[in-house]
Amino acid sequence: MKHLRKMLDSEAPAATLLIRLSVGAVFLSEGIQKFIYPAEIGAGRFAKIGIPWPEVMGPFVGVVEIVCGALVLAGLLTRFASALLVIDMVVALISTKLPILLGRDILGFHVRKLSHYGFWSMAHESRTDWAMLLGALFLVVVGAGRWSVDARLARRRSAL
């Protein structure tokens, strides 16, 4: 019970809702698109990148992004959902941006054809990834904020 309270409790300001809306909407949208456009964004892209078992991992990641994105939008189990999204983004950065940084395949992940490689190319290609990673990490640290299901549940628990 103490761990559940810690997971739900948040002293973050109501404006945290803005970060939740940004992070939740992007992940929800990207997860849905992995099913709408599997060849370009889902399993097909995972195969091109070098992700093992792309026909399993594409849909799996899509479901994680849909479920966790929706949880973040609702502000329900926000810290847990955001932690899963942090892992999602770390894997995305390693599997897609590290090869761009180095300009070659690494760790079984394939570099895609670009006009430039190196730090600036990686920085450009990863701007959304970093924004989503830091937004999700922010939510892990501060929680969902006052305007969330988590806050409502925490208030209800402390009233008992």
Side-chain angles (χ1 to χ4, degrees), residues 4 7-8 71-72 75-83 144 149-150 153:
L4 179 62
M7 186 181 290
L8 298 177
L71 288 170
V72 167
L76 176 61
L77 301 174
T78 304
R79 282 189 165 105
F80 175 74
S82 296
V149 175
D150 286 347
L153 291 172

Side-chain angles (χ1 to χ4, degrees), residues 21-31 33 128 132:
L21 291 174
S22 174
V23 170
V26 168
F27 278 106
L28 178 63
S29 169
E30 287 297 314
Q33 290 179 69
T128 304
M132 291 300 99

Side-chain angles (χ1 to χ4, degrees), residues 28-89:
L28 178 63
S29 169
E30 287 297 314
I32 291 169
Q33 290 179 69
K34 282 179 177 60
F35 292 100
I36 296 174
Y37 309 112
E40 297 87 1
I41 300 173
R45 181 158 194 271
F46 281 33
K48 288 178 201 157
I49 292 168
I51 301 282
W53 312 294
E55 61 284 342
V56 173
M57 293 306 292
F60 174 76
V61 171
V63 168
V64 168
E65 290 176 350
I66 291 167
V67 170
C68 291
L71 288 170
V72 167
L73 283 171
L76 176 61
L77 301 174
T78 304
R79 282 189 165 105
F80 175 74
S82 296
L84 293 178
L85 295 174
V86 165
I87 293 166
D88 182 55
M89 292 316 304

Side-chain angles (χ1 to χ4, degrees), residues 77-140:
L77 301 174
T78 304
R79 282 189 165 105
F80 175 74
S82 296
L84 293 178
L85 295 174
V86 165
I87 293 166
D88 182 55
M89 292 316 304
V90 167
V91 171
L93 284 163
I94 291 169
S95 64
T96 63
K97 303 322 182 276
L98 184 59
I100 293 171
L101 174 67
L102 301 175
R104 62 182 173 81
D105 294 354
I106 184 162
L107 304 173
F109 301 119
H110 307 301
V111 67
R112 63 189 174 102
K113 183 82 172 135
L114 296 171
S115 58
H116 303 307
Y117 298 98
F119 177 78
W120 292 114
S121 184
M122 181 274 304
H124 173 74
E125 294 292 328
S126 65
R127 63 195 184 280
T128 304
D129 296 21
W130 283 111
M132 291 300 99
L133 172 65
L134 295 175
L137 193 56
F138 174 84
L139 294 172
V140 169

